[in-house]
Amino acid sequence: MTKIFIVNGGQKFGHSGGRFNETISNETLNFFKSNSEFEVKTTNINDDYIPAAEVEKFVWADVIIYHTPIWWFQLPHGFKKYIDVVFTEGHAKGIYKSDGRSAENPTINYGTGGMLHGKKYMLTTSWNAPKEAFTLPGEFFNQHSVDEGPLFGFHRMNAFTGMKPLQSIHFHDIEKNANVENDLKVYQNHLTQLFLN
């Protein structure tokens, strides 16, 4: 049985109600609950959480699935706080033991002290920006993808823990030109390809 941990990082703040990431998180939960090969645990960062219990979920899971909007080209502050608090709690308790370097040779092996080796993670993001902002010459992101551009640090954070990435999926133009019905179809296909085929 594959153990799935779903983290809903869709924060309720300002004009955002976190509805799209709530929808995607629920879609993820229903997808895995409908198949007996999977066991699922969830966290919503808007709810109270116990850091040690969250560490246990990361240690328990085979796959972590993160859902997050992007605010000002970064994670929302509530989701970032969750990661800071939980990963710090996870020091020597299953997430990481060190930065991987030794006092004898401190210039090499940085980022190799993670404790989540053998686990994988998947990322979904939602954007106000249209996908063309990342792909067209002269547009805002200078033809850098989400994963290699704004979310590069997020992926290195997960690499630091020892996890390997599954293919990300990014939802664009959510505020001004949303097509949630189509996004859900695309997402269902993405999950099917990754987990059932």
Side-chain angles (χ1 to χ4, degrees), residues 12-41:
K12 297 172 183 174
F13 176 81
H15 66 274
S16 175
R19 289 183 305 276
F20 182 79
N21 281 276
E22 186 79 32
T23 299
I24 293 294
S25 295
N26 288 336
E27 194 76 11
T28 308
L29 178 62
N30 292 334
F31 176 87
F32 289 112
K33 284 182 86 173
S34 69
N35 189 315
S36 62
E37 295 178 25
F38 299 97
E39 188 177 352
V40 185
K41 294 185 180 183

Short mmCIF file of all heavy atoms in Angstrom, two decimals, residues 12-41:
data_model
loop_
_atom_site.label_atom_id
_atom_site.label_comp_id
_atom_site.label_asym_id
_atom_site.label_seq_id
_atom_site.Cartn_x
_atom_site.Cartn_y
_atom_site.Cartn_z
N LYS A 12 -5.92 31.18 3.63
CA LYS A 12 -7.02 32.14 3.65
C LYS A 12 -6.49 33.45 4.21
O LYS A 12 -6.15 33.54 5.39
CB LYS A 12 -8.17 31.59 4.50
CG LYS A 12 -8.76 30.32 3.93
CD LYS A 12 -9.76 29.67 4.84
CE LYS A 12 -10.25 28.35 4.24
NZ LYS A 12 -11.12 27.61 5.15
N PHE A 13 -6.39 34.46 3.34
CA PHE A 13 -5.79 35.72 3.74
C PHE A 13 -6.14 36.78 2.71
O PHE A 13 -6.14 36.52 1.51
CB PHE A 13 -4.26 35.56 3.83
CG PHE A 13 -3.52 36.83 4.15
CD1 PHE A 13 -3.42 37.29 5.45
CD2 PHE A 13 -2.91 37.57 3.14
CE1 PHE A 13 -2.72 38.45 5.75
CE2 PHE A 13 -2.22 38.74 3.42
CZ PHE A 13 -2.12 39.18 4.73
N GLY A 14 -6.41 38.01 3.18
CA GLY A 14 -6.70 39.09 2.25
C GLY A 14 -7.90 38.74 1.38
O GLY A 14 -8.93 38.30 1.87
N HIS A 15 -7.72 38.90 0.06
CA HIS A 15 -8.82 38.61 -0.85
C HIS A 15 -8.87 37.13 -1.25
O HIS A 15 -9.73 36.72 -2.01
CB HIS A 15 -8.74 39.50 -2.10
CG HIS A 15 -7.55 39.23 -2.95
ND1 HIS A 15 -6.34 39.82 -2.72
CD2 HIS A 15 -7.38 38.40 -4.01
CE1 HIS A 15 -5.46 39.39 -3.62
NE2 HIS A 15 -6.07 38.54 -4.41
N SER A 16 -7.92 36.33 -0.74
CA SER A 16 -7.88 34.92 -1.09
C SER A 16 -8.62 34.08 -0.06
O SER A 16 -8.31 34.13 1.13
CB SER A 16 -6.43 34.43 -1.19
OG SER A 16 -6.41 33.03 -1.41
N GLY A 17 -9.56 33.29 -0.54
CA GLY A 17 -10.24 32.36 0.35
C GLY A 17 -9.65 30.97 0.32
O GLY A 17 -10.12 30.09 1.02
N GLY A 18 -8.60 30.77 -0.51
CA GLY A 18 -7.98 29.46 -0.61
C GLY A 18 -8.85 28.43 -1.29
O GLY A 18 -8.60 27.22 -1.17
N ARG A 19 -9.86 28.87 -2.04
CA ARG A 19 -10.84 27.93 -2.59
C ARG A 19 -10.26 27.00 -3.66
O ARG A 19 -10.60 25.83 -3.71
CB ARG A 19 -12.04 28.70 -3.17
CG ARG A 19 -12.91 29.35 -2.10
CD ARG A 19 -14.12 30.04 -2.69
NE ARG A 19 -13.79 31.02 -3.70
CZ ARG A 19 -13.43 32.29 -3.42
NH1 ARG A 19 -13.37 32.70 -2.18
NH2 ARG A 19 -13.15 33.13 -4.38
N PHE A 20 -9.41 27.54 -4.54
CA PHE A 20 -8.89 26.69 -5.61
C PHE A 20 -8.03 25.56 -5.04
O PHE A 20 -8.18 24.40 -5.43
CB PHE A 20 -8.09 27.50 -6.63
CG PHE A 20 -7.59 26.66 -7.77
CD1 PHE A 20 -8.44 26.31 -8.81
CD2 PHE A 20 -6.29 26.18 -7.80
CE1 PHE A 20 -8.00 25.50 -9.85
CE2 PHE A 20 -5.84 25.38 -8.84
CZ PHE A 20 -6.71 25.04 -9.87
N ASN A 21 -7.14 25.89 -4.11
CA ASN A 21 -6.29 24.83 -3.55
C ASN A 21 -7.08 23.87 -2.66
O ASN A 21 -6.75 22.70 -2.56
CB ASN A 21 -5.11 25.45 -2.79
CG ASN A 21 -4.03 25.89 -3.76
OD1 ASN A 21 -3.20 25.11 -4.18
ND2 ASN A 21 -4.09 27.16 -4.16
N GLU A 22 -8.16 24.36 -2.06
CA GLU A 22 -9.07 23.47 -1.33
C GLU A 22 -9.70 22.48 -2.31
O GLU A 22 -9.80 21.27 -2.03
CB GLU A 22 -10.16 24.30 -0.64
CG GLU A 22 -11.07 23.50 0.25
CD GLU A 22 -10.46 23.17 1.60
OE1 GLU A 22 -9.66 23.97 2.13
OE2 GLU A 22 -10.78 22.09 2.12
N THR A 23 -10.11 22.97 -3.47
CA THR A 23 -10.71 22.12 -4.49
C THR A 23 -9.71 21.08 -4.98
O THR A 23 -10.04 19.88 -5.08
CB THR A 23 -11.21 22.98 -5.67
OG1 THR A 23 -12.20 23.89 -5.19
CG2 THR A 23 -11.79 22.12 -6.78
N ILE A 24 -8.50 21.51 -5.28
CA ILE A 24 -7.47 20.59 -5.77
C ILE A 24 -7.10 19.57 -4.69
O ILE A 24 -6.91 18.38 -4.97
CB ILE A 24 -6.23 21.37 -6.25
CG1 ILE A 24 -6.57 22.20 -7.50
CG2 ILE A 24 -5.04 20.46 -6.52
CD1 ILE A 24 -6.90 21.39 -8.73
N SER A 25 -6.98 20.02 -3.45
CA SER A 25 -6.67 19.10 -2.35
C SER A 25 -7.75 18.05 -2.18
O SER A 25 -7.46 16.86 -1.99
CB SER A 25 -6.49 19.88 -1.04
OG SER A 25 -5.37 20.73 -1.12
N ASN A 26 -9.01 18.47 -2.26
CA ASN A 26 -10.12 17.52 -2.15
C ASN A 26 -10.13 16.55 -3.32
O ASN A 26 -10.42 15.36 -3.15
CB ASN A 26 -11.45 18.26 -2.06
CG ASN A 26 -11.65 18.95 -0.73
OD1 ASN A 26 -11.06 18.56 0.27
ND2 ASN A 26 -12.48 19.98 -0.71
N GLU A 27 -9.81 17.04 -4.49
CA GLU A 27 -9.72 16.18 -5.67
C GLU A 27 -8.64 15.12 -5.47
O GLU A 27 -8.83 13.94 -5.81
CB GLU A 27 -9.42 17.04 -6.91
CG GLU A 27 -9.62 16.34 -8.22
CD GLU A 27 -11.09 16.21 -8.61
OE1 GLU A 27 -11.97 16.82 -7.99
OE2 GLU A 27 -11.36 15.45 -9.56
N THR A 28 -7.52 15.53 -4.90
CA THR A 28 -6.42 14.59 -4.63
C THR A 28 -6.86 13.54 -3.63
O THR A 28 -6.64 12.34 -3.83
CB THR A 28 -5.20 15.36 -4.09
OG1 THR A 28 -4.89 16.45 -4.96
CG2 THR A 28 -3.99 14.45 -3.96
N LEU A 29 -7.48 13.98 -2.54
CA LEU A 29 -7.94 13.06 -1.51
C LEU A 29 -8.93 12.05 -2.09
O LEU A 29 -8.81 10.84 -1.86
CB LEU A 29 -8.60 13.86 -0.38
CG LEU A 29 -9.19 13.04 0.78
CD1 LEU A 29 -8.12 12.23 1.49
CD2 LEU A 29 -9.89 13.98 1.77
N ASN A 30 -9.89 12.51 -2.86
CA ASN A 30 -10.89 11.61 -3.44
C ASN A 30 -10.27 10.63 -4.43
O ASN A 30 -10.66 9.46 -4.48
CB ASN A 30 -11.99 12.42 -4.13
CG ASN A 30 -12.83 13.20 -3.14
OD1 ASN A 30 -12.93 12.83 -1.98
ND2 ASN A 30 -13.41 14.30 -3.59
N PHE A 31 -9.29 11.09 -5.19
CA PHE A 31 -8.60 10.22 -6.14
C PHE A 31 -7.97 9.03 -5.42
O PHE A 31 -8.13 7.87 -5.83
CB PHE A 31 -7.54 11.01 -6.91
CG PHE A 31 -6.70 10.19 -7.85
CD1 PHE A 31 -7.13 9.96 -9.15
CD2 PHE A 31 -5.49 9.65 -7.44
CE1 PHE A 31 -6.35 9.21 -10.02
CE2 PHE A 31 -4.72 8.89 -8.31
CZ PHE A 31 -5.16 8.66 -9.60
N PHE A 32 -7.25 9.31 -4.35
CA PHE A 32 -6.54 8.22 -3.66
C PHE A 32 -7.47 7.38 -2.79
O PHE A 32 -7.27 6.17 -2.66
CB PHE A 32 -5.38 8.78 -2.84
CG PHE A 32 -4.25 9.26 -3.69
CD1 PHE A 32 -3.94 10.61 -3.77
CD2 PHE A 32 -3.49 8.37 -4.42
CE1 PHE A 32 -2.90 11.06 -4.57
CE2 PHE A 32 -2.45 8.81 -5.23
CZ PHE A 32 -2.15 10.15 -5.31
N LYS A 33 -8.49 8.00 -2.21
CA LYS A 33 -9.42 7.24 -1.37
C LYS A 33 -10.27 6.28 -2.20
O LYS A 33 -10.77 5.28 -1.68
CB LYS A 33 -10.33 8.20 -0.59
CG LYS A 33 -9.62 8.86 0.58
CD LYS A 33 -10.54 9.76 1.35
CE LYS A 33 -11.30 8.97 2.39
NZ LYS A 33 -12.09 9.83 3.29
N SER A 34 -10.40 6.55 -3.49
CA SER A 34 -11.20 5.68 -4.35
C SER A 34 -10.43 4.45 -4.81
O SER A 34 -10.97 3.60 -5.52
CB SER A 34 -11.71 6.45 -5.57
OG SER A 34 -10.64 6.78 -6.43
N ASN A 35 -9.17 4.35 -4.42
CA ASN A 35 -8.34 3.21 -4.81
C ASN A 35 -7.74 2.59 -3.56
O ASN A 35 -7.00 3.24 -2.81
CB ASN A 35 -7.23 3.70 -5.77
CG ASN A 35 -6.47 2.56 -6.40
OD1 ASN A 35 -6.09 1.60 -5.73
ND2 ASN A 35 -6.24 2.66 -7.69
N SER A 36 -8.03 1.32 -3.34
CA SER A 36 -7.63 0.65 -2.09
C SER A 36 -6.12 0.44 -1.97
O SER A 36 -5.64 0.04 -0.91
CB SER A 36 -8.35 -0.70 -1.97
OG SER A 36 -7.97 -1.55 -3.04
N GLU A 37 -5.37 0.73 -3.02
CA GLU A 37 -3.91 0.57 -2.96
C GLU A 37 -3.24 1.72 -2.20
O GLU A 37 -2.03 1.67 -1.95
CB GLU A 37 -3.32 0.49 -4.37
CG GLU A 37 -3.76 -0.74 -5.14
CD GLU A 37 -3.20 -0.75 -6.55
OE1 GLU A 37 -2.16 -0.11 -6.79
OE2 GLU A 37 -3.82 -1.40 -7.41
N PHE A 38 -4.01 2.73 -1.84
CA PHE A 38 -3.43 3.91 -1.21
C PHE A 38 -4.01 4.15 0.18
O PHE A 38 -5.19 3.91 0.42
CB PHE A 38 -3.68 5.15 -2.07
CG PHE A 38 -3.07 5.05 -3.44
CD1 PHE A 38 -3.84 4.66 -4.53
CD2 PHE A 38 -1.73 5.34 -3.64
CE1 PHE A 38 -3.28 4.56 -5.79
CE2 PHE A 38 -1.16 5.25 -4.90
CZ PHE A 38 -1.93 4.85 -5.98
N GLU A 39 -3.16 4.65 1.06
CA GLU A 39 -3.56 5.12 2.37
C GLU A 39 -3.22 6.60 2.42
O GLU A 39 -2.16 7.01 1.94
CB GLU A 39 -2.82 4.35 3.45
CG GLU A 39 -3.29 4.61 4.87
CD GLU A 39 -2.56 3.75 5.89
OE1 GLU A 39 -1.80 2.84 5.49
OE2 GLU A 39 -2.76 4.01 7.09
N VAL A 40 -4.10 7.42 3.00
CA VAL A 40 -3.95 8.87 2.89
C VAL A 40 -4.02 9.56 4.25
O VAL A 40 -4.86 9.20 5.09
CB VAL A 40 -5.04 9.47 1.97
CG1 VAL A 40 -4.81 10.96 1.76
CG2 VAL A 40 -5.11 8.75 0.64
N LYS A 41 -3.15 10.54 4.44
CA LYS A 41 -3.25 11.48 5.56
C LYS A 41 -3.20 12.89 4.97
O LYS A 41 -2.63 13.10 3.90
CB LYS A 41 -2.11 11.29 6.56
CG LYS A 41 -2.18 9.96 7.28
CD LYS A 41 -1.12 9.84 8.36
CE LYS A 41 -1.23 8.48 9.06
NZ LYS A 41 -0.26 8.34 10.17
#
